[in-house]
Amino acid sequence: MSDNQPYVVAVIDDEPMVTQSIKNFLALETDYEVLVFNSPREAIDSLRDKQADVVISDYLMPDLNGIELFLQLKEIQPHATRILLTGYADKENAIKAINDVGLYQYIEKPWENEDLKLVIRNGIEKRMLMKRLAEKVAELDKASADLKGVYADLLKAFK
């Protein structure tokens, strides 16, 4: 992502008051592009075409819960940092989400805005570090392949 493009944060919650609250707060406090969805299905459809750096989802929603949503989004947004919002201190589901969908963190409702902003910022930093790591691994893979080619050429030259 270039420095002049804002990071993209997607917020999914079936309660419009929640999504609007987070969107308004982030609009005042950050330069993130914030996408809000009040339907998990709408989020999945929209996020097929738009890369998100962070995805925040409520746990309890009709149709799909947050973990089910993240499982589907993991296929189309594999590198997005995933944050689960929950109104319930349900450690079992949080652990399941960490294991099943690579959850970065879960936040209990009601949340503290500054804490949410910090978690999002750290999630974006994690996303960018993972992206750089993947780029470096790709560079190393290419360099390794190039070296193997040079080695093969040297072997041919000295036979």
Side-chain angles (χ1 to χ4, degrees):
M1 172 153 312
S2 71
D3 291 336
N4 61 356
Q5 290 181 321
Y7 297 112
V8 177
V9 177
V11 182
I12 304 121
D13 195 305
D14 60 313
E15 297 178 40
M17 187 175 74
V18 170
T19 54
Q20 201 57 49
S21 173
I22 293 172
K23 182 177 183 172
N24 291 344
F25 170 70
L26 292 176
L28 289 171
E29 296 285 325
T30 72
D31 60 354
Y32 305 150
E33 178 182 348
V34 182
L35 310 172
V36 296
F37 305 97
N38 298 115
S39 155
R41 300 275 181 217
E42 178 189 353
I44 291 167
D45 289 343
S46 293
L47 292 173
R48 288 184 198 286
D49 302 321
K50 177 78 172 178
Q51 180 62 50
D53 297 297
V54 173
V55 179
I56 303 168
S57 176
D58 186 24
Y59 174 66
L60 280 180
M61 296 182 288
D63 208 17
L64 287 177
N65 69 39
I67 295 171
E68 294 165 338
L69 170 68
F70 283 150
L71 281 171
Q72 290 188 33
L73 284 179
K74 191 175 178 182
E75 298 297 316
I76 58 174
Q77 296 276 345
H79 304 294
T81 299
R82 292 173 279 281
I83 299 169
L84 188 68
L85 275 179
T86 179
Y88 305 92
D90 187 346
K91 307 276 191 270
E92 185 178 318
N93 278 319
I95 291 167
K96 179 176 175 34
I98 290 166
N99 294 332
D100 292 351
V101 300
L103 186 69
Y104 175 67
Q105 190 155 350
Y106 80 97
I107 298 174
E108 293 180 21
K109 290 179 181 178
W111 65 89
E112 292 289 331
N113 279 340
E114 289 304 316
D115 292 343
L116 179 63
K117 185 170 75 170
L118 179 64
V119 168
I120 293 169
R121 185 174 64 226
N122 290 343
I124 288 171
E125 186 170 318
K126 173 194 174 267
R127 162 86 171 97
M128 294 301 108
L129 288 171
M130 294 303 291
K131 182 178 178 184
R132 279 190 226 121
L133 178 61
E135 290 166 355
K136 293 295 180 193
V137 167
E139 287 175 23
L140 287 171
D141 286 346
K142 183 185 179 324
S144 175
D146 291 348
L147 283 172
K148 286 177 183 174
V150 168
Y151 178 71
D153 291 345
L154 284 171
L155 286 178
K156 287 180 196 171
F158 289 106
K159 281 191 175 181

